Amino acid sequence: MAYDELFNPTEEHRMLREMVADFTANEVEPQAAEFDAKGVLNVPLFRQLGELGLLGITVPEEDGGAGLDAVAAVIVHHELSKSDPGFCLAYLAHSMLFVNNFAQSANAEQKARVLPKVISGEWIGGMGMTEPGAGTDVIGMTTTAVLDGEHYVMNGTKTYITNGCEGFCFLVYAKVDGRITTFLVDRDCPGFTTSHHIDKLGMRGSTMSELIFEDCRVPVANVIGEVGGGLTHMMRNLELERLTLAAMSVGIADRCVEIMVRHGQERVAFGTPINRFGQIQRYIADGYAATEAAKCLTYNVAKDVGPHNRNRIGSDAAKLFAAPVGKNVADWAMQVMGGSGYCREYPVERLWRDAKLLEIGGGTLESHQKNLTKDLSRLAPVT
Amino acid sequence: MNIGVCAKISPHADARIKIKSDGSGVDTKGEKLVVGDYDEYAVEEAIRTKEAHKGAVTAFTVGATSDEKLVRSGALALGVDKAVLISDDAAVNAGPLGTAKLLAAAIKEAGCEIVFTGKAATDDGNSQVSAMIAELLGWAQVSQVTKFAIEGTSFTATRAMDAGVLQIVSGSLPVVITCEDGLNDPRYPKLPDIMKAKRKPLSKIGAGDLGLADVAATSSESNFAPPPPRPASRIIEGDAASAAQELVRLLREEAKVI
């Protein structure tokens, strides 16, 4: 029972999980392989997430969202990623990186102007932090914005931006007099363009491009929060981002365990189902145990992540632990399936490709190790 | 419009059916329970009728007290406005006629003008209750409906008959509409509706509250047994012409089906 309370703490969480699981099985799973092969986002399917009320899941009810917590966000990412982590990544970039961050930091006028359109899915959003010369070292960003009358003039390039191709609006971090500031940049801002689609190994159900700012004129009314407030927005939102990325790894691992268990029973070799062989049992059992551990950690941390709770230790730990679990369990599932696991006919090779991104995006494993060491040392200073 | 819908809580269609060790019935312990498949069409049609003609939808369920959360997730979270759960010991042990009496009394008390039901429950598949409700209320009933429309106080329903034949039935409210696969495409619950489901009214009542004393089943069920295991498949070797000949011979001489 305690197990269930961790994953579905309220009836609303349980209903949300059942709804997303049904939607995933019926609508997301059948299209996953096709959009992976094409390398594009299924925009009509994405807009269905808006109809279901999922795009503003963490936005307060008074702002038109569902007003739900980090556990609910984890549930959606967990369930969607059982079928299509690539599609789920587009959801994450929109709902967590844009909508959640924007709703927490924007003023009333900005919220009234933008939230209805991004919660419905009419506008697809994303977030621009990484630059060609600055990834984990985010403070080293070189994109600048200079005040010129009623506009800021922005110059620079952001790269590896999920939803770059389909997105209409982006939260962009740029330095104003050396201070990192958050801007809302949309396609109506002169001087803003996006590059070609950047092709990638996995997560191909979502797209990625550069955001290019060439004397881009961003209205002063599009500054989010205070000038210099960008770092706070960024750090606050990174916790939910990392947590939901961890949930995606859990979804991948869950699906791969299910595939291994079934295949182990059905596939016969040397006259016996292959799950009678100790080598296969090790993959299945170790995969299950690792998945459950990652799941418990992720949901446990989710209880303490929110707009008013800082839990960088928890969210870094969850992603640091869960991301390799997703990758390893996908690898083991492929090993159990042998040649069929390597073929595009089955979902394992796609999940295997998707899983790797989670060791890189939203913070590399090494950045989590750096943060954890720093934060844990700060908690236990040597006097 | 005052709309009713009957929604029975049954094991999920994918559930692995287990027979109780004494053969007295099906053991649903540990199985995922949901609003039955055909009843899902009924819930959807009731909500669509409300959306087209305004009014409110009440769900009626005869079942266990623990069915409350399933009625909330399977009806109220989809857009049904309120629910009546008839759940005392008498209700739980009612047979088809007793269940129909309970539902008819609750529907009458609620003042419904139209009631949607599924064509059969997912578990026992009796297909008796809908017709009995109509009879007890003195209403018309249209069964196996695959298309439905209301105009004013009149309705038009398309029935799926055998061999692909369709029958169009017109009439006046009140009516019991028994929903068939294909009538509609049931929606997913929307998150705002999920959030509202907990706050929607759900009254738990018993047979006594409806003035019904005797709703006990008039028949009993016993000796449940799983179907015999399916015999192993056979592969007929050889070229197409001789394999077809052999297949026909086996169907005629061994299976005796042609």
Side-chain angles (χ1 to χ4, degrees):
Chain A
M1 200 60 202
Y3 185 84
D4 193 53
E5 281 168 14
L6 181 61
F7 303 138
N8 300 306
T10 68
E11 270 308 298
E12 283 79 10
H13 289 104
R14 184 194 308 282
M15 283 190 243
L16 170 67
R17 182 184 300 283
E18 286 173 1
M19 178 262 274
V20 180
D22 283 348
F23 179 78
T24 301
N26 298 332
E27 317 292 339
V28 179
E29 176 71 21
Q31 58 81 59
E34 179 191 344
F35 281 84
D36 171 71
K38 287 185 194 165
V40 296
L41 170 65
N42 185 342
V43 173
L45 187 69
F46 187 85
R47 296 221 158 97
Q48 282 188 49
L49 299 175
E51 290 167 22
L52 293 173
L54 295 172
L55 296 181
I57 188 164
T58 58
V59 175
E61 285 179 278
E62 58 267 29
D63 290 329
L68 282 170
D69 57 6
V71 176
V74 162
I75 286 171
V76 178
H77 290 82
H78 180 182
E79 295 298 331
L80 282 175
S81 293
K82 289 179 181 175
S83 283
D84 193 346
F87 179 71
C88 185
L89 191 69
Y91 172 73
L92 185 147
H94 177 93
S95 298
M96 303 294 112
L97 307 192
F98 183 91
V99 179
N100 178 71
N101 198 351
F102 179 85
Q104 283 181 22
S105 310
N107 62 33
E109 180 278 321
Q110 291 165 337
K111 285 197 245 187
R113 176 156 49 105
V114 174
L115 280 179
K117 289 189 162 58
V118 291
I119 289 175
S120 70
E122 181 183 340
W123 288 355
I124 295 174
M127 185 271 288
M129 183 160 69
T130 299
E131 297 184 354
T136 300
D137 174 24
V138 68
I139 309 294
M141 69 172 61
T142 58
T143 298
T144 57
V146 177
L147 186 61
D148 177 25
E150 288 301 300
H151 291 82
Y152 277 88
V153 178
M154 187 179 284
N155 278 288
T157 300
K158 300 290 178 180
T159 194
Y160 308 138
I161 307 306
T162 298
N163 293 346
C165 297
E166 301 85 359
F168 177 80
C169 50
F170 298 88
L171 284 180
V172 177
Y173 296 106
K175 283 181 177 169
V176 176
D177 296 327
R179 294 183 296 162
I180 295 176
T181 304
T182 313
F183 291 89
L184 168 68
V185 182
D186 62 41
R187 299 271 180 188
D188 291 337
C189 294
F192 168 49
T193 54
T194 49
S195 72
H196 64 281
H197 166 220
I198 302 171
D199 205 4
K200 55 190 192 283
L201 171 77
M203 298 291 189
R204 295 170 55 81
S206 57
T207 64
M208 203 162 73
S209 79
E210 291 181 343
L211 309 182
I212 301 161
F213 311 101
E214 291 173 310
D215 290 330
C216 170
R217 297 189 72 80
V218 184
V220 169
N222 282 16
V223 173
I224 306 296
E226 303 291 318
V227 169
L231 205 56
T232 305
H233 305 157
M234 187 190 295
M235 292 306 162
R236 188 169 55 196
N237 210 65
L238 268 174
E239 293 175 9
L240 188 61
E241 176 183 359
R242 287 173 179 158
L243 184 69
T244 46
L245 286 165
M248 290 181 63
S249 291
V250 172
I252 291 172
D254 250 343
R255 178 74 184 279
C256 289
V257 168
E258 180 197 313
I259 289 170
M260 276 194 283
V261 170
R262 177 176 283 268
H263 190 80
Q265 295 172 84
E266 291 176 347
R267 174 71 175 171
V268 172
F270 305 105
T272 182
I274 61 169
N275 68 4
R276 307 284 166 84
F277 301 118
Q279 292 148 307
I280 299 299
Q281 290 166 3
R282 180 171 179 181
Y283 289 129
I284 292 172
D286 287 6
Y288 175 77
T291 302
E292 290 301 296
K295 199 185 302 179
C296 289
L297 175 59
T298 302
Y299 278 88
N300 197 44
V301 169
K303 291 189 294 185
D304 289 324
V305 169
H308 308 297
N309 297 347
R310 298 304 305 268
N311 189 0
R312 188 166 86 156
I313 288 179
S315 54
D316 268 298
K319 185 164 171 292
L320 176 64
F321 186 77
V325 167
K327 189 187 75 171
N328 292 338
V329 177
D331 197 63
W332 298 341
M334 192 184 288
Q335 199 66 25
V336 166
M337 290 189 72
S340 59
Y342 193 71
C343 294
R344 296 254 152 119
E345 198 179 339
Y346 298 98
V348 167
E349 66 82 29
R350 175 169 54 81
L351 297 169
W352 183 85
R353 286 185 282 112
D354 293 345
K356 178 61 194 174
L357 183 272
L358 299 158
E359 293 189 336
I360 301 168
T364 57
L365 297 181
E366 294 73 22
S367 72
H368 304 318
Q369 288 155 349
K370 171 180 76 76
N371 294 341
L372 279 166
T373 304
K374 186 174 166 186
D375 292 349
L376 292 169
S377 302
R378 193 183 288 154
L379 283 178
V382 177
T383 53
Chain B
M1 184 172 287
N2 191 339
I3 304 156
V5 59
C6 298
K8 183 178 181 182
I9 304 303
S10 323
H12 191 274
D14 294 338
R16 290 186 182 190
I17 301 301
K18 297 188 295 283
I19 308 290
K20 287 181 183 169
S21 54
D22 62 0
S24 63
V26 173
D27 183 5
T28 58
K29 204 178 288 175
E31 289 300 343
K32 184 181 176 187
L33 300 174
V34 291
V35 167
D37 282 3
Y38 292 110
D39 291 355
E40 276 189 11
Y41 297 116
V43 169
E44 176 64 29
E45 200 62 23
I47 297 168
R48 287 184 187 200
T49 302
K50 176 183 81 166
E51 288 168 347
H53 301 280
K54 299 204 165 54
V57 180
T58 307
F60 300 92
T61 298
V62 174
T65 312
S66 57
D67 287 349
E68 175 181 341
K69 64 180 182 183
L70 300 160
V71 172
R72 288 196 186 278
S73 59
L76 297 177
L78 290 158
V80 169
D81 300 283
K82 55 186 173 175
V84 177
L85 176 57
I86 310 165
S87 59
D88 61 357
D89 286 348
V92 170
N93 296 316
L97 181 58
T99 300
K101 283 179 182 172
L102 292 165
L103 289 169
I107 289 163
K108 193 172 177 185
E109 195 170 293
C112 296
E113 299 154 80
I114 183 167
V115 168
F116 295 92
T117 64
K119 123 176 146 168
T122 316
D123 49 8
D124 56 31
N126 270 331
S127 295
Q128 295 183 35
V129 171
S130 305
M132 289 173 174
I133 291 171
E135 181 63 24
L136 289 164
L137 291 171
W139 293 11
Q141 185 217 2
V142 187
S143 61
Q144 291 171 274
V145 172
T146 55
K147 196 173 170 196
F148 181 72
I150 292 181
E151 202 172 319
T153 56
S154 303
F155 70 85
T156 305
T158 302
R159 294 185 66 229
M161 301 174 70
D162 286 344
V165 175
L166 299 176
Q167 181 186 43
I168 296 172
V169 180
S170 302
S172 302
L173 303 182
V175 64
V176 174
I177 297 294
T178 301
C179 304
E180 171 67 285
D181 187 359
L183 171 62
N184 53 47
D185 190 7
R187 69 193 64 194
Y188 299 100
K190 294 183 171 70
L191 194 44
D193 290 329
I194 287 177
M195 304 302 289
K196 286 180 206 151
K198 190 167 69 180
R199 298 193 289 269
K200 287 185 175 175
L202 182 147
S203 52
K204 285 185 190 171
I205 61 171
D209 298 313
L210 295 164
L212 292 168
D214 184 18
V215 291
T218 51
S219 59
S220 62
E221 295 163 343
S222 60
N223 297 330
F224 278 71
R230 195 185 293 176
S233 305
R234 282 166 64 177
I235 294 173
I236 302 168
E237 307 282 355
D239 60 75
S242 61
Q245 209 160 21
E246 175 65 0
L247 177 62
V248 170
R249 188 190 69 76
L250 289 169
L251 289 172
R252 182 179 292 158
E253 293 177 12
E254 285 195 17
K256 295 186 173 27
V257 291
I258 56 172

